[in-house]
Amino acid sequence: MDSDLPDLDNLRAVAVLVATEAAELAAEKQVVAGEQVRTKSSRTDVVTAVDTAVEELLRRRLAELRPSDSVLGEEAGLSATDSSAGDGQQLRWVVDPIDGTVNFLYGIPWYAVSVAVVRGAETLAGAVVEPASGRVWSASLGGGATVDGRPLAVSGAEELSLALVSTGFGYQAERRGRQGALAASLLSEVRDIRRFGSAALDLCAVAAGWCDGYYEHAINHWDWAAGALIATEAGAVVHPPDPAAPFGNAIVAATPGIVVPLTEVLVALGAETV
Ligand code: IPD
Ligand code: CA
């Protein structure tokens, strides 16, 4: 770990604060299905007026609290002040205003605001806050992970055939077909599969031992940045997405006892070409 780290407790507190304020706004503005919706990358990839309003709030609060840092958000992209590609020292906040937008749209309470702060390839702190339950997940690098202040720890699963594994599917029809085929093949190798609908919360679920592992191809940084740190700090092994990985450009996060067999089986089932 870099000795020149900024105050990680403070960064974690900022992540929790802005994610909690954003979650309050999202909860107030729960939309009626079908209203205030436009589509993004495909007709099923929706953005609600609430996604936009929540991201605006996050950007405004981060500008007030952390004026020197930049912001990368799902809806408005990278802020003009970003210079983190330069000397790699600028902090960047990576935010997803509502992860689990489709759940949100249908009134399913499993969605969250995700806020992480990164420097270069390292995630320093993060928070995932669920508007419906008010649950607050957070972590800082080397500082552990908690939910509502209670320490998190991954499950002790050691056998892939007894493991509960979650996954997700992107919005592009072609890739979804390949993702579905991989999940279908994986079904006979594990206890069962879950598709909860929020990557950030899939990672928190691994952190809590509610699932033994999670994998998903082609997700965006804002989907996984905070959740991956929370899972790592709870004891999970996390492989961030890497196009050169033998299991393709997927994130894989799992309790240590099953991570090797899980990645091996993904490779054997052709995950590289998903
Ligand atoms: C999506 C969710 C979903 C995952 C998709 C993501 P969004 O994010 O995290 O679980 O499977 O890949 O795009 O659109 O709800 O913010
Ligand atoms: Ca997302």
Side-chain angles (χ1 to χ4, degrees):
M1 203 187 301
D2 189 339
S3 57
D4 180 29
L5 282 176
D7 182 341
L8 298 179
D9 290 341
N10 178 262
L11 293 176
R12 182 175 181 168
V14 171
V16 168
L17 176 67
V18 299
T20 302
E21 290 178 6
E24 279 162 11
L25 179 66
E28 270 167 32
K29 294 202 165 197
Q30 176 75 56
V31 286
V32 176
E35 282 184 4
Q36 301 169 286
V37 170
R38 64 185 168 80
T39 55
K40 258 187 318 192
S41 64
S42 77
R43 286 177 62 207
T44 50
D45 183 4
V46 296
V47 50
T48 67
V50 187
D51 288 271
T52 311
V54 172
E55 184 164 321
E56 278 167 12
L57 180 146
L58 288 168
R59 286 177 184 271
R60 179 168 47 75
R61 292 296 282 135
L62 287 169
E64 285 163 11
L65 296 164
R66 302 285 314 175
S68 306
D69 304 345
S70 69
V71 181
L72 170 68
E74 168 153 26
E75 308 308 338
L78 191 55
S79 55
T81 55
D82 184 74
S83 66
S84 52
D87 61 6
Q89 290 304 299
Q90 191 188 33
L91 301 192
R92 179 189 286 185
W93 293 81
V94 180
V95 306
D96 193 341
I98 297 183
D99 186 57
T101 309
V102 176
N103 285 348
F104 177 76
L105 191 63
Y106 280 77
I108 298 169
W110 194 241
Y111 62 93
V113 178
S114 175
V115 174
V117 56
V118 307
R119 188 170 62 182
E122 201 161 48
T123 307
L124 303 176
V128 174
V129 179
E130 293 171 56
S133 68
R135 231 179 336 243
V136 176
W137 308 79
S138 77
S140 59
L141 185 63
T146 56
V147 60
D148 293 339
R150 296 188 305 278
L152 285 163
V154 293
S155 79
E158 289 190 338
E159 257 187 78
L160 187 62
S161 60
L162 298 179
L164 186 61
V165 176
S166 71
T167 190
F169 309 114
Y171 290 105
Q172 301 304 324
E174 245 182 40
R175 176 172 273 125
R176 287 169 69 78
R178 297 194 297 273
Q179 289 177 311
L182 176 64
S185 312
L186 185 65
L187 259 179
S188 49
E189 308 288 335
V190 297
R191 180 193 296 272
D192 208 349
I193 289 185
R194 294 289 180 269
R195 196 293 193 241
F196 292 123
S198 160
L201 290 171
D202 283 310
L203 288 157
C204 292
V206 171
W210 297 350
C211 258
D212 303 306
Y214 161 69
Y215 75 93
E216 182 169 348
H217 285 80
I219 65 171
N220 293 297
H221 199 188
W222 46 78
D223 300 316
W224 60 265
L229 181 66
I230 292 166
T232 304
E233 289 292 327
V237 177
V238 180
H239 297 288
D242 171 4
F247 42 82
N249 194 18
I251 188 167
V252 178
T255 190
I258 65 148
V259 71
V260 172
L262 176 61
T263 53
E264 283 173 356
V265 95
L266 288 171
V267 173
L269 295 175
E272 190 178 7
T273 53
V274 169

